[in-house]
């Protein structure tokens, strides 16, 4: 969470570069924003609220912040409410040291008490503010700027990505520990960001920092050392997506753009991974993977719903599998054996809880695999194996195309393992080949907007499904609640009668995901009849195979397809329901309240 941008080498353009970088990072936090520019002096401006508030304050001032070196920050609050005082950057009492920080400093209270006892006055409620005071104290003790920053870092415990600028210093000092930080290498300038979009407009060449590394950006370029100051050789990677891909491309919201990008994202995820002639899945990234005896998934939020889909797919193929919330696994891990594979499902590859769970699994001797979207992310680098979903950049806080891509990647993963035991994947391969076109049809023909108009203003919204439709029901409810702020819950359809029916009324529409015509579909129709008997309106998301439409008040149609690909199509309809409902209610769709895109704190 939170976004960091830094730049050295852009001269008079520094302020504009920093502000534009913050604009591309607002999906990481939008409680407040601020900038600090150095040389000459040190000029800091910050404001609570969205970035526009900061821009307005700068425009209204007599002079704009000036300098050739700059850092900026957009915040998702952890310590202290979103106020001007709690916004980053934070400075020392002299105003000569400015710091931006992502993460949590666990020993900040002890450091704050120590500094207060020495006469330091604090202006904020944040944990971050101890850092500039520690740097200032080290400078007062005679240390040079780099040594002073290192000294401060030695004192703090916890997770952090930190950037520091000093008055009259043409350098940015930066370090990471359990929170992402990446350098951008331009022809005449060097950039720093918590995510690549921060500087993608200026360069696609990047250097990913690892935990414990310290970077210095200056007019001559950049250098990276370890915590002891020993130089570290770092490779420069060129990212394979452009600044244009992170724009809205004429759409009103990133979320709608990314929903409509799903057919393209799935084609990217499937490219080179289907042997249609042989009817087999061929995922080169899995070639070195041992055949596991059991699989444990660890994930959070939307990725956890994808993991539940993976469990269902693997168990159907006869492969033992379980899914765990990463936050629970990290503190109470399940037993692992020599043949256990732990799969971390994480869009960003930086999700703190998932990384902690993967590290715990590794420490216990499990083989690990990262299923992620971001090349060279922390999860990708730390795990034994990686499977990229290849969905491209996703800016909207509510995950859409990355969830669909996760489902497809997990279908490929399952088929690859099942084929090792002689399973026939011909029908699945054919369905995956057709999936992008089927998905495009759903997006083109959806009547979700009309369904939303019918049920706008309802009391609550319930989503139900069985088997692989159950994770889709959970995800549909999550999407709905996180961008509409309306009450929504997802359930395994059979659980309705174990308590939830008490909440069902004629003001609680029930979205039932029913595809195919197997026993699960027929049992779900039984659950539909139960809510219909309580006067609840029913919206069926269906391919028509089970005849559930006759019991529904409205229908969201999907093409008939393989059981493994049907959930992707049903999910797209529910994404559109959530989007149009939020749009009707005037919600902040791309930046829902209290949420951020990448959750990098536990």
């Amino acid at each position: 969470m939170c976004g960091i941008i830094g730049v050295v080498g852009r001269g008079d353009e520094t302020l504009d570069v920093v502000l534009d970088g913050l604009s591309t990072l607002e999906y990481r936090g939008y409680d407040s924003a601020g900038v600090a520019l150095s040389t000459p002096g040190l000029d800091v401006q910050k404001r609570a609220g969205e970035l526009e508030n900061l821009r307005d304050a700068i425009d209204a001032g007599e002079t704009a912040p000036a300098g050739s070196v700059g850092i900026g920050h957009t915040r998702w609050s952890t310590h202290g409410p979103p106020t001007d005082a709690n916004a980053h950057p934070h400075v020392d009492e002299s105003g000569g040291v400015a710091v931006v920080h992502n993460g949590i400093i666990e020993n900040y209270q002890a450091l704050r008490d120590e500094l207060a006892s020495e006469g330091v006055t604090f202006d904020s409620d944040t944990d971050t503010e101890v850092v500039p005071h520690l740097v200032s104290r080290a400078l007062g003790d005679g240390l040079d700027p780099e040594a002073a920053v290192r000294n401060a870092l030695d004192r703090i415990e916890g997770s952090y990505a930190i950037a520091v600028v000093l008055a009259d210093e043409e350098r940015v000092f930066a370090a990471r520990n359990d929170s992402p930080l990446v350098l951008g290498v331009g022809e005449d300038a060097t950039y720093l960001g918590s995510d690549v979009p921060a500087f993608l407009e200026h360069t696609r060449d990047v250097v990913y920092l690892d935990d414990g590394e310290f970077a210095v950006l200056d007019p001559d370029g950049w250098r990276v050392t370890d915590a002891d100051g020993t130089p570290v050789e770092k490779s420069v990677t060129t990212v394979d997506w452009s600044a244009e891909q992170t724009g809205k491309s004429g759409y009103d919201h990133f979320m709608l753009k990314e929903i409509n990008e799903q057919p393209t994202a799935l084609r990217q995820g499937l490219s080179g991974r289907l042997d249609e002639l042989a009817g087999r899945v061929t995922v080169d990234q899995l070639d070195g993977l041992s055949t596991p005896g059991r699989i444990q998934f660890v994930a959070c939020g939307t990725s956890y719903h994808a993991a539940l889909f993976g469990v269902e797919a693997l168990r159907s193929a006869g492969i033992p599998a379980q899914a765990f919330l990463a936050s629970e696994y990290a503190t109470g891990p399940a037993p692992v054996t020599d043949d256990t594979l732990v799969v971390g499902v994480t869009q960003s590859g930086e999700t703190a809880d998932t990384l902690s769970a993967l590290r715990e699994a590794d420490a216990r001797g499990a083989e690990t695999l990262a299923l992620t979207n971001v090349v060279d992310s922390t999860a990708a680098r730390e795990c034994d194996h990686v499977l990229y979903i290849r969905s491209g950049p996703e800016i909207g806080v509510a995950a859409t195309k990355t969830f669909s891509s996760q489902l497809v990647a997990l279908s490929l993963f399952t088929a690859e393992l099942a084929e090792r035991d002689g399973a026939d994947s011909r029908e699945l391969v054919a369905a995956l080949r057709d999936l992008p076109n089927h998905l495009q049809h759903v997006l083109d023909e959806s009547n979700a907007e009309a369904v939303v108009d019918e049920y706008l203003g309802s009391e609550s919204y319930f989503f139900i499904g069985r088997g692989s439709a159950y994770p889709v029901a959970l995800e549909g409810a999550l999407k709905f609640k996180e961008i509409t702020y309306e009450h929504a819950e997802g359930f395994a359809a059979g659980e309705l009668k174990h308590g939830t029916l008490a909440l069902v009324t004629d003001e609680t529409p029930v979205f039932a995901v029913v595809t195919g015509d197997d026993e699960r579909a027929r049992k779900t129709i039984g659950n539909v009849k139960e809510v219909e008997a309580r006067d609840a309106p029913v919206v069926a998301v269906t391919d028509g195979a089970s005849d559930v439409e006759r019991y529904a008040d409205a229908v969201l149609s999907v093409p008939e397809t393989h059981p493994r690909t049907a959930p992707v199509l049903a999910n797209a309809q529910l994404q559109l329901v959530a989007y149009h409902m939020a749009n009707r209610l005037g919600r902040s769709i791309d930046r829902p309240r209290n949420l951020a895109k990448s959750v990098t704190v536990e």
Side-chain angles (χ1 to χ4, degrees):
M1 294 167 175
C2 305
I4 287 175
I5 172 72
V7 60
V8 176
R10 292 299 299 267
D12 293 341
E13 300 174 317
T14 298
L15 177 61
D16 290 337
V17 171
V18 171
L19 290 173
D20 289 346
L22 290 180
S23 179
T24 66
L25 290 175
E26 270 202 289
Y27 62 93
R28 294 183 66 93
Y30 31 89
D31 288 343
S32 60
V35 299
L37 273 66
S38 177
T39 64
L42 183 63
D43 198 346
V44 175
Q45 291 272 12
K46 54 185 184 175
R47 286 293 184 275
E50 297 186 0
L51 178 62
E52 200 60 34
N53 294 352
L54 175 64
R55 289 186 183 272
D56 290 344
I58 290 173
D59 291 343
E62 294 184 6
T63 58
S68 59
V69 174
I71 57 175
H73 189 271
T74 180
R75 181 176 184 244
W76 186 86
S77 303
T78 54
H79 290 71
T83 63
D84 288 355
N86 288 334
H88 297 218
H90 291 286
V91 298
D92 68 323
E93 290 179 297
S94 72
V97 180
V99 173
V100 293
H101 163 235
N102 295 349
I104 293 177
I105 298 173
E106 295 173 357
N107 63 333
Y108 89 97
Q109 191 61 59
L111 293 171
R112 187 180 179 114
D113 292 344
E114 174 190 319
L115 290 164
S117 71
E118 296 173 1
V120 173
T121 300
F122 286 84
D123 296 322
S124 78
D125 303 313
T126 69
D127 54 340
T128 304
E129 196 184 350
V130 300
V131 181
H133 294 302
L134 290 172
V135 174
S136 181
R137 284 292 191 271
L139 290 169
D141 290 338
L143 296 182
D144 65 68
E146 181 174 340
V149 175
R150 288 182 180 276
N151 179 270
L153 294 176
D154 288 342
R155 299 287 313 279
I156 66 177
E157 300 170 3
S159 64
Y160 55 78
I162 283 178
V164 183
V165 292
L166 282 70
D168 304 317
E169 275 285 329
E170 205 168 1
R171 290 183 286 180
V172 174
F173 304 100
R176 83 158 266 176
N177 185 56
D178 287 340
S179 195
L181 207 53
V182 58
L183 307 183
V185 182
E187 290 186 7
D188 301 311
T190 307
Y191 306 88
L192 175 76
S194 48
D195 205 351
V196 173
F199 49 73
L200 191 58
E201 179 182 352
H202 310 293
T203 181
R204 293 169 56 195
D205 294 332
V206 304
V207 176
Y208 294 96
L209 297 185
D210 290 310
D211 285 347
E213 291 182 341
F214 185 96
V216 180
L217 286 61
D218 61 33
D220 296 323
W222 57 275
R223 58 184 172 86
V224 176
T225 60
D226 64 17
D228 297 324
T230 304
V232 177
E233 292 293 326
K234 303 291 290 185
S235 59
V236 178
T237 301
T238 301
V239 297
D240 61 359
W241 36 280
S242 65
E244 288 74 21
Q245 289 176 275
T246 63
K248 290 183 182 176
S249 303
Y251 287 92
D252 290 337
H253 300 96
F254 281 112
M255 183 179 179
L256 185 59
K257 171 178 179 274
E258 288 155 3
I259 288 172
N260 281 282
E261 285 177 341
Q262 287 178 117
T264 298
L266 297 193
R267 290 188 182 97
Q268 292 169 174
L270 292 168
S271 178
R273 291 172 168 176
L274 299 178
D275 185 340
E276 294 184 48
L277 187 61
R280 294 180 61 83
V281 167
T282 56
V283 184
D284 293 343
Q285 286 181 307
L286 299 178
D287 286 348
L289 180 69
S290 305
T291 300
R294 66 184 64 250
I295 295 172
Q296 297 173 354
F297 289 99
V298 291
C300 306
T302 288
S303 293
Y304 177 70
H305 299 157
L308 291 174
F309 171 88
V311 167
E312 172 68 22
L314 287 163
R315 287 178 177 172
S316 296
I319 302 170
Q322 297 171 279
F324 298 88
L325 290 165
S327 56
E328 294 295 319
Y329 188 98
T331 55
V336 300
T337 56
D338 291 343
D339 62 352
T340 300
L341 173 68
V342 178
V343 180
V345 186
T346 163
Q347 184 281 133
S348 66
E350 305 292 349
T351 311
D353 288 320
T354 305
L355 290 174
S356 293
L358 286 167
R359 288 164 182 162
E360 180 63 32
D362 179 69
R364 294 168 64 86
E367 195 172 9
T368 57
L369 167 72
L371 192 142
T372 185
N373 190 38
V374 181
V375 176
D376 284 338
S377 58
T378 300
R381 295 196 305 273
E382 291 188 2
C383 284
D384 299 313
H385 311 278
V386 60
L387 176 57
Y388 290 117
I389 66 173
R390 301 176 177 170
S391 66
E394 185 177 70
I395 304 303
V397 167
T400 51
K401 66 177 180 176
T402 53
F403 179 68
S404 297
S405 296
Q406 286 171 339
L407 299 192
V408 168
L410 287 165
S411 295
L412 295 171
F413 173 69
T414 300
E416 173 87 13
L417 295 182
E419 286 170 6
R420 296 182 185 184
D421 289 331
D424 187 341
S425 298
R426 290 182 183 277
E427 290 185 4
L428 176 61
V429 167
L432 288 170
R433 176 200 62 205
D434 294 338
L435 180 58
N437 289 336
H438 282 160
L439 183 52
Q440 188 64 60
H441 176 79
V442 170
L443 297 173
D444 291 343
E445 302 298 327
S446 176
N447 60 319
E449 200 165 357
V451 170
V452 163
D453 288 340
E454 179 69 23
Y455 299 112
L456 181 67
S458 296
E459 187 177 277
S460 290
Y461 302 82
F462 298 133
F463 297 74
I464 62 172
R466 288 176 184 261
S468 59
Y470 169 48
V472 173
L474 292 177
E475 177 62 13
L478 177 61
K479 278 298 149 289
F480 195 94
K481 72 180 75 174
E482 68 182 336
I483 65 168
T484 69
Y485 313 155
E486 298 295 301
H487 179 249
E489 296 296 339
F491 302 95
E495 288 299 297
L496 271 175
K497 56 185 171 289
H498 296 289
T500 307
L501 276 177
L503 301 176
V504 170
T505 71
D506 59 359
E507 286 295 315
T508 58
V510 176
F511 290 80
V513 182
V514 187
T515 56
D517 189 26
D518 58 8
E519 183 181 6
R520 284 172 169 166
R522 291 190 290 274
K523 285 184 177 294
T524 305
I525 291 175
N527 302 127
V528 166
K529 292 177 180 178
E530 289 172 349
V531 299
E532 184 185 46
R534 275 78 180 174
D535 296 325
V538 175
V539 180
V541 185
T542 183
D543 54 11
S546 65
D547 204 27
V548 69
E549 305 98 298
R550 65 185 298 179
Y551 307 107
D553 298 276
V555 174
L556 295 166
S557 297
V558 300
E560 253 190 284
T561 183
H562 192 279
R564 287 285 158 262
T565 53
V568 178
L569 304 177
N571 174 67
Q573 289 282 25
L574 296 182
Q575 289 174 346
L576 290 169
V577 167
Y579 172 80
H580 289 301
M581 184 68 77
N583 203 30
R584 288 287 191 274
L585 294 170
R587 306 305 192 208
S588 178
I589 291 174
D590 289 331
R591 300 193 294 271
R593 68 187 182 200
N594 302 331
L595 301 178
K597 183 68 177 173
S598 181
V599 185
T600 57
V601 295
E602 294 183 74

